Amino acid sequence: MAFSFFNKLRDKREHLKLIRDELDKVRSVIARQVEPFGPHVRPYLERVCRGRGKLIRPGLVLLTAASTGGVTEKHITFAAMLEMLHMASLVHDDVLDKADTRRDEATPNALWGNELAVLLGDSLLAQAMVMGSELGDMKFIRRLSLGTRDLCEGEVEQSTRLWDMEMTRADYYELIRKKTATLFAMAMSGAAMLQELDDEMVDHLERMGTLLGIAYQIYDDCLDLTGSEDVAGKTLGTDAAKGKLTLPVFFLMESSSDDVADYVRGCVEKREEIDFTRLRGTDAFHEAIRMSADEGRARTAEAREVLWMLPESDGRAALAEMTYRLDELLDDCCN
């Protein structure tokens, strides 16, 4: 379903211009979160918090708020809290993946070693929960806590299911729902709860966030196999090296090309890294990426259906633009 108000100008940040000032406030709130920590911890956290990420999750909070009554100071704080949760998960991810670059800068584990990096991630997580505890009632706090538990559970499950031939595509989708889509869902449902919307609308927006999060993880899985580290600004290829079974890998194992399917399945069974350099020129590889991108676009299309439940506004248009931008990123992986 197409949106008549969808802006065909393909500015990659068009959907965030509406909330540019609010995003600056989010960055300021994040920067202040190092102040409660002592002098032996603060410099490390300042270094971690100074990174300028894409702010997708805060953007979802603020655009949801803009679409449902307006952005409040609580939304600013909530957006900062979610970004800190995301930052904590990235610090831990980089330790697990042995990644040395993110956002064109050295990762904490590359700078200071794994032990300190893990502890810094824990510190960010703890401070984020302090922020969340001051935002809403017990119903709101419980929803945040359950979401954070899902996030952690997804990370644990991913680490315990490397090279797992028993894993199914359904398992994959549930894993990325927890690991990635949880924060997208929390962003939209939490913003709605802070607006005191009814439970039905909160649930609809949570579903939209989940769909967008799943689509975004599919894009990230494709980017890991097709992207350039210079363009992406982070270490790529870590999924394949560690034995993560991502959606493109599932499609390769199911390929109609017996040679490709047998090779990929054999690598997984023997716990050997898949050599994607020998696969990238094959029709099977391009088909696996295309089918993965199709799965992602199906979810963004389903997510857009929720927007019709919101009143027409610049905020709703910007949310639509965000979904179409994700479609473009998925398309880019196929080219």
Side-chain angles (χ1 to χ4, degrees), residues 46-64:
E46 286 175 346
R47 173 68 172 74
V48 175
C49 291
R50 82 180 187 192
R52 295 178 70 85
K54 296 183 285 291
L55 299 182
I56 296 172
R57 295 147 194 86
L60 277 175
V61 172
L62 300 174
L63 290 177
T64 302

Side-chain angles (χ1 to χ4, degrees), residues 224-227 237 275-283 285-286:
D224 195 66
L225 299 181
T226 63
D275 181 6
F276 284 100
T277 59
R278 64 182 280 187
L279 297 179
R280 287 193 178 95
T282 66
D283 291 340
F285 180 84
H286 293 295

Side-chain angles (χ1 to χ4, degrees), residues 94-105:
D94 289 338
V95 171
L96 294 171
D97 293 341
K98 298 181 176 63
D100 54 15
T101 304
R102 184 177 290 276
R103 297 168 182 169
D104 295 316
E105 294 192 0

